[in-house]
Amino acid sequence: MLKIGIADDERKAVEELSEYVKDFMDKKGIDVIIDRYENGIKLEDRSALYDLVFLDIDMPEMNGIELAQKIRLTNRKLRIVYVTNYKNYYKAAFMVHAYDYVEKPINREKINEILTEFLKEKRDEKHLAILKRTDGTNCFADISDICYFEYDGNRKVKVHMYNKKCINISTTLKTLEKEYGKYGFVSPYQSYLVNLARVEYFDIRNKLLIFDNGTNVEVAEKKTKEIQAILAEYYHERLEDK
């Protein structure tokens, strides 16, 4: 779930921008919450909630530049996109590390370009997985929150999350292994692909991998020694990194 904030005292501009953002995310199948503010003061205390904000520069009480300066005192990473009627704010905008700058009237293609780059960076920096649900929609999931993938037959896989919720997706374990092997996912059994970062210990007697949320998966007899070796190497590397 992404959260995006929009602050602009022009209602028409807010509605138009909200529509463009919502349409873009809907086409990508990505869940998004869009909060609207008629001035910057109300957004200031809630800025930490958002992944991206659109700020009108020319607002009463507190303009977009002033708001960004306040936000940057506590949040250096928030992506800020300025939306304005004026061209002479470029220098001021980038002094507060603006992510981008959009002139009014708002162009849908420009917004799409910004959001496309934003999604790419978001995925890269946080190791986000974009999972295609069986209903055709997409959702974001932090890879570190995935305990394991379980093949459910007929190109369907259950994604077991740390919070014990499941996401049903359409793919194969072979495809997932190619994509997530670099993140420390291995197969202990033909129906599973597990995240080593979530494995708390290996119950060798019962041939079970126990995850840090209490769930477990079976390890195939013929893979027992291989999984032991993989886990030993993984934990050794983690200790060296500390």
Side-chain angles (χ1 to χ4, degrees):
M1 175 73 71
L2 292 174
K3 294 199 70 174
I4 293 177
I6 299 174
D8 196 318
D9 60 324
E10 295 182 30
R11 180 176 296 181
K12 182 180 178 182
V14 172
E15 291 177 352
E16 186 176 44
L17 184 51
S18 297
E19 178 189 342
Y20 292 168
V21 173
K22 185 69 166 57
D23 285 350
F24 177 89
M25 294 300 180
D26 283 347
K27 289 176 181 177
K28 296 289 184 182
I30 296 170
D31 297 327
V32 63
I33 292 175
I34 302 172
D35 292 331
R36 310 174 184 190
Y37 300 88
E38 67 270 18
N39 63 61
I41 293 176
K42 291 185 178 181
L43 186 146
E44 180 186 353
D45 294 333
R46 294 171 56 84
S47 63
L49 299 176
Y50 300 105
D51 300 287
L52 175 73
V53 294
F54 290 88
L55 305 181
D56 179 35
I57 290 182
D58 190 26
M59 291 186 289
E61 299 182 74
M62 182 188 296
N63 66 43
I65 299 294
E66 293 170 332
L67 174 57
Q69 289 171 339
K70 290 180 178 292
I71 289 173
R72 287 292 182 243
L73 293 175
T74 57
N75 189 341
R76 304 291 296 178
K77 295 183 178 180
L78 178 64
R79 290 169 173 81
I80 298 172
V81 178
Y82 281 118
V83 184
T84 182
N85 285 311
Y86 306 101
K87 295 182 178 181
N88 57 343
Y89 282 109
Y90 278 105
K91 185 176 180 180
F94 286 97
M95 284 180 67
V96 289
H97 306 286
Y99 185 65
D100 214 320
Y101 191 100
V102 178
E103 293 180 22
K104 295 180 180 178
I106 301 168
N107 180 278
R108 183 189 291 267
E109 291 304 313
K110 175 63 175 177
I111 298 302
N112 288 349
E113 288 175 10
I114 291 171
L115 294 176
T116 297
E117 185 62 23
F118 162 68
L119 290 182
K120 180 179 179 299
E121 291 182 6
K122 192 74 174 171
R123 182 177 183 179
D124 290 345
E125 73 179 21
K126 296 189 72 175
H127 299 309
L128 290 177
I130 299 180
L131 304 171
K132 185 176 181 180
R133 298 189 184 101
T134 52
D135 64 4
T137 61
N138 294 330
C139 71
F140 274 115
D142 193 317
I143 292 175
S144 65
D145 287 336
I146 298 173
C147 285
Y148 61 98
F149 297 100
E150 178 185 9
Y151 186 62
D152 202 27
N154 196 28
R155 290 185 61 84
K156 292 182 181 178
V157 173
K158 288 184 178 179
V159 186
H160 294 263
M161 307 299 292
Y162 175 74
N163 61 10
K164 297 186 178 181
K165 292 184 178 180
C166 286
I167 302 170
N168 296 308
I169 64 174
S170 299
T171 188
T172 65
L173 280 186
K174 187 175 182 180
T175 298
L176 291 171
E177 193 166 9
K178 286 182 179 179
E179 184 172 358
Y180 295 98
K182 61 185 177 183
Y183 296 115
F185 282 74
V186 299
S187 177
Y189 199 83
Q190 62 181 359
S191 298
Y192 299 105
L193 188 65
V194 306
N195 184 0
L196 293 176
R198 284 295 175 188
V199 175
E200 193 164 85
Y201 66 95
F202 182 12
D203 181 349
I204 299 176
R205 175 179 294 181
N206 295 303
K207 294 181 174 56
L208 294 174
L209 288 176
I210 312 299
F211 296 99
D212 53 2
N213 67 348
T215 59
N216 63 79
V217 301
E218 187 178 353
V219 176
E221 176 74 39
K222 63 181 181 180
K223 284 205 167 187
T224 299
K225 290 184 178 180
E226 179 186 343
I227 294 301
Q228 278 185 282
I230 289 173
L231 280 171
E233 182 179 358
Y234 176 76
Y235 291 135
H236 178 70
E237 289 178 352
R238 287 185 65 180
L239 286 173
E240 286 189 333
D241 290 340
K242 289 184 178 180

